[in-house]
């Protein structure tokens, strides 16, 4: 039963994927991201978030973080993804330090959450055509680099 | 006027869809971004910044903006662009307010400068293959609404 559903799901995604280009990575087809992570040797699990949109949880260098999908219609056809991680620090990072991070770094956005944790996010619009696989690799490597730098920065 | 340009961009997007790579927007090809602005009816001028990297000045609804190019080698082959705008708020926007913005809004980020003014930035990696014109148009639309939302957020007149 479970397998049957999975096969149907894959077939459906296959037809939807015609909007994106063959090897492109697009939020509109979460399996293109799952394939990218698989090819990179990164453990990834596809699930859904609390509004029913796709969500991928990754393990990378011992850290676990989520990839959220945005701009979806009826939980499919999503327009963009967001890489996100929250770091709990023993004391809240001063806002001045968060601001300096944002002034000095590209692509990512840092902020203090209401709970005083430090959160780092990176939004990428993949649109209708998606990003070429090698370009998405640049995007992901950029995120991975910032993850590491942000953790060091908070120390 | 707005309807006409919307129709033009839809037709353009459809033709781009058919010929995949032809209409890609790329930081490595500043002219592709100049073409995008032209198609959108946005006045733009290609120049260089103080590092001799490409830079595009454009005007949108009467406001002047600059688009910066990054990840360039010898002023060419850039791999990303940055939309950026500053507001001279003279210390009237707090770090709390900027943090609340960053917590609530997606895609770009805001920060206070050393002078107590605000900068809003949005970076796009276009890599080797770039974004389709239609997708870059989405990105640009996000940038414009981000600026409007930010101005509302800081009470900019």
């Amino acid at each position: 039963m479970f397998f049957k559903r999975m096969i149907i799901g894959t077939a459906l995604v296959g037809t939807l994927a015609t909007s994106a280009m063959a090897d492109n990575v697009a939020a509109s087809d979460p399996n293109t991201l799952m394939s990218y992570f698989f090819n990179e040797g990164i453990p990834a699990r596809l699930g859904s978030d609390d509004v029913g949109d796709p969500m991928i949880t990754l393990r990378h260098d011992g850290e676990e973080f989520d990839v959220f999908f945005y701009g979806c219609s009826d939980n499919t056809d999503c327009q963009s993804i967001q890489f996100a991680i929250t770091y709990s620090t023993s004391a809240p990072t001063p806002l001045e330090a968060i601001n300096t991070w944002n002034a000095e770094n590209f692509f990512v956005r840092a902020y203090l959450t209401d709970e005083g944790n430090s959160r780092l996010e990176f939004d990428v619009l993949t649109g209708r055509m998606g990003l070429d696989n090698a370009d998405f690799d640049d995007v992901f490597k950029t995120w991975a680099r910032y993850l590491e730098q942000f953790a060091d920065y908070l120390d | 006027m707005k309807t006409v340009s919307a129709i033009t961009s839809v037709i353009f997007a459809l033709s781009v869809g058919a010929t995949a790579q032809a209409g890609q927007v790329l930081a490595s090809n500043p002219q592709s971004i100049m073409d995008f602005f032209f198609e959108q009816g946005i006045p733009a001028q290609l120049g260089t910044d103080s590092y001799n990297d490409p830079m595009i000045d454009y005007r949108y609804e009467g406001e002047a903006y600059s688009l910066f190019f990054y990840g360039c080698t010898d002023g060419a082959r850039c791999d990303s662009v940055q939309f950026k705008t500053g507001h001279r708020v003279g210390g009237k926007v707090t770090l709390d307010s900027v943090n609340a913005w960053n917590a609530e809004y997606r895609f770009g980020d805001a920060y206070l400068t050393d002078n107590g003014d605000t900068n809003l930035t949005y970076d796009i990696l276009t890599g080797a293959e770039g974004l389709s014109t239609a997708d870059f148009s989405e990105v640009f639309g996000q940038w414009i609404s981000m600026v409007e939302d930010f101005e509302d957020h800081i009470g900019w007149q």
Side-chain angles (χ1 to χ4, degrees), chain B residues 8-90:
Chain B
T8 311
S9 67
V10 168
I11 292 167
F12 192 63
L14 288 175
S15 63
V16 164
T19 56
Q21 302 305 306
Q24 296 294 96
V25 176
L26 284 154
S28 58
N29 178 13
Q31 188 56 45
S32 67
I33 300 179
M34 290 297 289
D35 290 345
F36 167 81
F37 283 130
F38 178 77
E39 293 293 336
Q40 299 280 323
I42 297 166
Q45 189 173 44
L46 179 60
T48 53
D49 66 16
S50 52
Y51 297 92
N52 261 336
D53 290 335
M55 180 176 120
I56 293 175
D57 291 319
Y58 62 97
R59 300 191 69 84
Y60 189 81
E61 290 185 349
E63 296 293 330
Y65 298 92
S66 296
L67 181 73
F68 298 95
F69 288 65
Y70 284 94
C72 315
T73 309
D74 299 329
R77 299 194 296 284
C78 314
D79 70 7
S80 62
V81 291
Q82 180 183 70
F83 293 99
K84 182 177 187 178
T85 187
H87 291 85
R88 292 187 181 277
V89 294

Side-chain angles (χ1 to χ4, degrees), chain B residues 125-136:
Chain B
L125 190 140
T126 62
E129 299 296 333
L131 276 67
S132 75
T133 301
D135 289 343
F136 192 79

